[in-house]
């Protein structure tokens, strides 16, 4: 089947642009070797809106060879750290110039509200620019041993990095992965999620425009079991960074063990507790628990999906949170007022509604929602379950949708025990006016991030990642650079 490499898209908000459809390898858009394509859906209508070329194993080999050639022999091997930084900041500038197109693509491809998509692009720009700043500030140490020796360390890039990203924040995850990898001097083969291939390809066009040499950044569309599997097992890829389900995270780690022991970082699922104490500013706390779970339709790894409320204000918070959730504007992603758009795919839509049934059967009480919104597309009403007990599946498993589980607690010891009653440990929230309570609870929670009197307050300069089954390693901040470099020790005999 032949499909052209570009197509003009006209989006619901009138934005018209040329969408690349091919695989981006060596700075060119090319068809896959097997000539396969796959469908792209609009989550707001459930209709097929186009097709993109699919990468299979042979294409991953070609992309890896391009990345390897660029790393060892190409201009990338000779480039100065300052120039790497300049390329990244130029890419950030191009994201800024294309802000409206990129956010519109994101909203169209993922179904998320345009106001949120605009925020994603803003954060992607910040992230790329931040890592542009890091490029010429990565250095080793001189280490004293004795007078006969001069010893130092170098923080060197790893080589070709495989990067596999999910569909919930397609371009933001693209920036989180590309930024530190490139700042540190690596080359990359990045696979976007099969549900959301469009933004990554448009960003690839900007990579070329920014002036990156061929082979440094390669972007492929394809499926996890085929292209993703080829990346995770590839012998010439020496580092893999993955964001997605814990199930697939385990497979990535196993693939590394079975192939070449490539370094692995994993950013996986979560079931994060969001805790409201009696003394909290209730109005503000309700804003944060609402934002914590319903932001991005609940399709957020750090979603505050378990809400624990202290007994003195429990009934009041449940009643007011219900009112607040019902006021969220759900619907057309391209309406500027919309807060919650469509869920990304039919599979996710069904998965979420299935969890709603599980919750009902387990005996939890549906305070609001629990059903589809509207009559077309993959929309689900903001849903709140109360009377949820610790053993219920809706309290234990990641639902990845607009579904919140609420329970009551008595005191600090009990809520710490409940909060830590999870195999995950990605994030958490604490709402209280007491500094002592906030700090004690934050010290005792087993989570990679604690937000005090806020939620989802991510920033590119703050490390992000999980305890327990939420992952391995940290993204963002200086920590991410560590995950994209390896230390070389050089020891000179002066005698
Ligand atoms: P997934 O983990 O299957 O997909 C994420 C990425 O991994 C995609 O690019 C996919 O193509 C790739 N992938 C899938 N199987 C692979 C394999 N065997 N080898 C290499 N790459 C592979 O997640 P999915 O199925 O889209 O969503 C299922 C659940 O995963 C969600 O309901 C949610 O609970 C969780 N999830 C968590 C995310 C996070 O941000 N931590 C993001 C997406 C999903
Ligand atoms: Mg999957």
């Amino acid at each position: 089947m032949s499909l052209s490499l570009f197509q003009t898209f006209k989006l619901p908000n009138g934005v018209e642009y040329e969408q690349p459809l091919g695989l981006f390898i060596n700075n060119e858009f090319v068809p896959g070797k097997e000539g396969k394509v796959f469908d792209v859906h609009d989550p707001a209508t459930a209709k097929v809106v186009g097709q993109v070329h699919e990468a299979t194993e042979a294409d991953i080999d070609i992309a890896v060879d391009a990345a390897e050639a660029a790393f060892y022999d190409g201009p990338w091997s000779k480039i100065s750290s300052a120039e790497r930084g300049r390329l990244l900041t130029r890419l950030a500038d191009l994201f800024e110039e294309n802000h409206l197109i990129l956010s519109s693509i994101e909203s169209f491809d993922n179904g998320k509200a345009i106001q949120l998509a605009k925020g994603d692009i803003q954060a992607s720009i910040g992230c790329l620019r931040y890592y542009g700043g890091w490029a010429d500030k990565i250095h080793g140490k001189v280490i004293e041993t004795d007078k006969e020796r001069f010893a130092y360390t170098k923080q060197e890039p790893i080589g070709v990095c495989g990067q596999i990203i999910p569909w919930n924040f397609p371009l933001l995850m693209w920036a989180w992965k590309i930024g530190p990898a490139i700042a540190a001097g690596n080359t990359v083969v990045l696979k976007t999620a099969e549900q959301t291939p469009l933004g990554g390809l448009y960003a690839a066009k900007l990579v070329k425009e920014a002036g990156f040499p061929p082979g440094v950044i390669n972007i492929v569309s394809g499926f996890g079991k085929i292209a993703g599997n080829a990346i995770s097992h590839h012998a010439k890829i020496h580092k893999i960074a993955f964001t997605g389900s814990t199930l697939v995270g385990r497979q990535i780690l196993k693939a590394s063990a079975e192939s070449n022991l490539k370094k692995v970082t994993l950013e996986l699922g979560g079931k994060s507790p969001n805790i409201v104490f009696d003394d909290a500013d209730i109005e503000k706390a309700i804003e944060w628990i609402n934002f914590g779970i319903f932001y991005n339709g609940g399709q957020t790894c750090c979603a505050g999906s378990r809400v624990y409320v202290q007994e003195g204000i429990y009934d009041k918070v449940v009643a007011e949170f219900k009112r607040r959730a019902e006021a969220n504007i759900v619907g057309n992603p391209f309406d500027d007022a919309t807060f919650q758009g469509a869920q990304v795919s039919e599979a996710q839509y069904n998965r979420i509604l299935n969890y709603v049934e599980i919750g009902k059967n387990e005996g939890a009480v549906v305070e609001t929602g629990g059903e589809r919104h509207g009559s077309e597309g993959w929309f689900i009403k903001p849903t709140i379950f109360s009377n949820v007990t610790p053993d219920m599946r809706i309290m234990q498993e990641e639902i990845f949708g607009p579904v919140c589980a609420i329970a009551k607690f008595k005191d600090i010891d009990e809520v710490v025990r409940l909060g830590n009653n999870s195999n995950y440990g990605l994030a958490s929230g604490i709402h209280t006016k007491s500094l002592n309570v906030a700090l004690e609870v934050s010290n005792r929670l087993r989570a990679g991030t604690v937000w005090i009197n806020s939620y989802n307050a991510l920033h590119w300069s703050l490390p992000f990642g999980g305890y327990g089954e939420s992952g391995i390693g940290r993204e963002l901040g200086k920590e991410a650079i560590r995950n994209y470099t390896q230390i070389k020790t050089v020891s000179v005999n002066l005698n």
Side-chain angles (χ1 to χ4, degrees), residues 316-492:
K316 185 173 159 80
V317 168
V318 171
E320 289 190 14
F321 179 30
K322 170 178 180 311
R323 228 184 343 261
R324 182 62 189 83
E326 286 167 357
N328 286 329
I329 299 177
V330 183
N332 180 5
F334 280 97
D335 185 333
D336 284 326
T338 297
F339 172 65
Q340 186 186 311
Q343 310 305 133
V344 75
S345 66
E346 189 172 16
Q348 287 300 122
Y349 170 87
N350 288 331
R351 192 186 148 93
I352 296 161
L353 289 181
N354 185 47
Y355 268 113
V356 169
E357 288 314 304
I358 291 171
K360 286 181 190 164
N361 292 336
E362 286 177 316
V365 177
V366 179
E367 294 284 342
T368 185
E371 57 188 12
R372 91 173 293 165
H373 168 92
S375 54
E376 73 161 2
W378 301 312
F379 295 90
I380 295 177
K381 288 185 180 161
T383 301
I384 300 174
F385 275 108
S386 64
N387 289 33
V388 187
T389 55
D391 51 307
M392 287 184 187
R393 286 182 62 193
I394 59 165
M395 196 56 119
Q396 290 292 337
E397 298 173 21
E398 180 172 60
I399 299 176
F400 228 61
V403 181
C404 191
I406 302 199
K408 200 186 285 189
F409 72 92
K410 276 197 178 56
D411 55 22
I412 290 184
D413 285 341
E414 185 186 14
V415 82
V416 165
R417 200 169 57 244
L418 291 170
N420 287 335
N421 182 24
S422 171
N423 294 333
Y424 293 116
L426 193 55
S428 56
I430 301 169
H431 305 270
T432 174
K433 290 199 187 98
S434 161
L435 185 60
N436 287 358
V437 170
L439 293 185
E440 179 183 344
V441 177
S442 80
N443 284 335
R444 293 173 65 186
L445 286 175
R446 295 194 288 269
T449 292
V450 183
W451 287 298
I452 297 172
N453 293 329
S454 72
Y455 207 85
N456 285 331
L458 291 104
H459 190 273
W460 48 81
S461 61
L462 300 175
F464 182 76
Y467 282 34
E469 292 179 16
S470 289
I472 297 177
R474 291 292 177 272
E475 298 201 276
L476 302 179
K478 189 183 175 184
E479 299 302 317
I481 301 279
R482 210 193 298 278
N483 290 321
Y484 282 101
T485 51
Q486 48 196 354
I487 303 290
K488 178 176 282 174
T489 299
V490 182
S491 177
V492 185

Side-chain angles (χ1 to χ4, degrees), residues 178-240:
I178 300 277
I182 293 301
N186 300 282
T187 58
V188 307
V189 175
L190 179 148
K191 188 191 87 61
T192 53
E194 54 270 38
Q195 296 85 351
T196 52
L198 300 182
L201 293 175
Y202 191 84
K205 181 180 97 95
L206 303 180
V207 162
K208 185 171 180 175
E209 235 173 283
F212 281 93
V216 173
I217 296 176
N218 305 278
I219 307 293
V220 298
S221 315
F223 293 92
K225 286 201 165 66
I226 302 167
N229 188 64
I231 289 173
S232 65
H233 284 90
H234 210 287
K236 295 180 182 173
I237 289 178
H238 295 288
K239 190 245 154 59
I240 186 161

Side-chain angles (χ1 to χ4, degrees), residues 118-182:
K118 285 179 178 167
D120 287 6
I121 303 310
Q122 210 54 54
S124 307
I125 294 165
C127 177
L128 292 170
R129 201 165 272 151
Y130 171 80
Y131 283 109
W134 263 116
D136 58 0
K137 297 166 194 71
I138 302 166
H139 50 71
K141 294 175 177 147
V142 171
I143 300 174
E144 292 281 340
T145 53
D146 53 63
K147 298 289 177 230
E148 325 262 271
R149 246 175 290 267
F150 172 66
Y152 62 94
T153 59
K154 290 177 72 192
Q155 206 171 339
E156 295 192 335
I158 296 172
V160 180
C161 299
Q163 307 185 308
I164 299 178
I165 61 172
W167 42 261
N168 51 344
F169 296 91
L171 275 163
L172 187 61
M173 293 302 105
W174 191 101
W176 282 24
K177 295 282 182 288
I178 300 277
I182 293 301

Side-chain angles (χ1 to χ4, degrees), residues 238-241 249 252-253 256 261-266 472-473:
H238 295 288
K239 190 245 154 59
I240 186 161
I252 301 283
L253 200 54
S256 162
L261 288 177
K262 51 179 69 65
K263 315 289 177 252
V264 179
T265 46
L266 304 172
I472 297 177

